[in-house]
Amino acid sequence: PKIVVWLGILAILVTGIVHFVDAPDSMSDVAYKGILFYANGIGALVAAWGIFRNRSMWGWHLGALVAGLAFVGYIASRTIGLPLLVIFVQAFSKGVAGYMEALTNADMRHAVYLTVVVAVLSVPVNIVFGLAAAWAIARFRFPGRRLLVVLIELPLSVSPVVAGVCYLLLYGSQGLFGPFLEDQGIQLMFAVPGIVMVTIFVTCPYVAREVLPLMEAQGKDEEETAVTLGARGWQILWRVT
């Protein structure tokens, strides 16, 4: 019905007006909201013109598309583009000399060092675990196979914040194993071992989930052929799998 179409056009215009007059924080906000407002207005006009001239719905579809793309672009610019722009502006707010000075800061060097250490320790563990788990799931049927798949996908469905809290409840000073670890002089939480453990937990599914579909599509015929020809396990892994 035409009333529904006109109500949709009105909703497009109201959306643009609301975003335009919503308390801009800076000139960049004014620009973004102005673009959104005009794009919504153009979309509504195109929809109305198409309906009025051709008595069809193509104009409504085109107008809705224009308004939708404008809204998506506005949200993307606010959530991705604007934060990146702020980061670069703030990083070079004191010029290149200030940026280089920040790079030589002791805290900055320690942060970079810690990041590199955690990556160097986490990536090999993830590669070994991911390849082994994907190979076992793709090649064999065994009790607990579905449970292994669930455990691999568990970090993808759990927030990293929740994972950190769980590690604190297990290994923190007030956690399940915390007092025992303190008696042994072992500190996991708020130290490099704890950071590595949480990083491995959060990132371990990615290798397995990337390799598993490939191994399932590849099949095991070539590996079985290599076995009949006398190839050893490592030879099959490196040259066939």
Side-chain angles (χ1 to χ4, degrees):
K2 288 185 178 181
I3 184 64
V4 176
V5 176
W6 288 112
L7 287 176
I9 296 174
L10 180 62
I12 292 175
L13 286 173
V14 170
T15 302
I17 294 172
V18 168
H19 283 279
F20 181 69
V21 301
D22 178 31
D25 300 326
S26 62
M27 291 304 297
S28 60
D29 282 352
V30 173
Y32 282 120
K33 292 176 182 179
I35 292 173
L36 177 66
F37 171 74
Y38 286 115
N40 276 294
I42 292 173
L45 290 177
V46 171
W49 180 82
I51 296 169
F52 179 77
R53 288 291 303 272
N54 298 294
R55 309 286 183 179
S56 65
M57 296 293 290
W58 75 266
W60 162 249
H61 294 158
L62 180 60
L65 178 62
V66 172
L69 290 177
F71 182 75
V72 171
Y74 170 77
I75 296 299
S77 64
R78 293 298 300 273
T79 57
I80 300 176
L82 189 59
L84 288 178
L85 179 62
V86 171
I87 290 174
F88 280 100
V89 170
Q90 292 296 326
F92 292 96
S93 60
K94 298 181 180 180
V96 178
Y99 180 78
M100 298 304 298
E101 181 181 355
L103 289 179
T104 58
N105 184 274
D107 292 336
M108 180 66 180
R109 293 199 305 269
H110 179 71
V112 173
Y113 168 77
L114 184 60
T115 302
V116 173
V117 169
V118 172
V120 169
L121 296 176
S122 303
V123 171
V125 175
N126 286 335
I127 291 176
V128 173
F129 172 79
L131 290 177
W135 180 73
I137 294 171
R139 297 292 186 263
F140 303 99
R141 298 295 182 269
F142 53 89
R145 180 175 178 272
R146 292 186 178 180
L147 178 61
L148 179 59
V149 174
V150 171
L151 291 177
I152 290 175
E153 295 181 349
L154 182 63
L156 298 177
S157 58
V158 176
S159 170
V161 177
V162 176
V165 172
C166 291
Y167 272 88
L168 281 176
L169 294 176
L170 286 174
Y171 304 108
S173 59
Q174 304 296 326
L176 183 61
F177 304 109
F180 172 77
L181 294 174
E182 287 186 355
D183 294 338
Q184 305 300 319
I186 301 174
Q187 182 182 359
L188 295 180
M189 295 296 95
F190 306 105
V192 175
I195 299 175
V196 173
M197 290 170 58
V198 176
T199 303
I200 291 174
F201 174 81
V202 173
T203 59
C204 68
Y206 294 102
V207 175
R209 295 306 303 172
E210 288 293 331
V211 177
L212 181 57
L214 178 61
M215 286 189 173
E216 290 179 342
Q218 181 183 12
K220 56 183 180 180
D221 294 339
E222 296 180 354
E223 294 179 351
E224 293 177 348
T225 303
V227 172
T228 60
L229 295 176
R232 298 180 178 179
W234 282 108
Q235 291 176 325
I236 296 174
L237 177 63
W238 289 106
R239 299 185 180 182
V240 180
T241 305

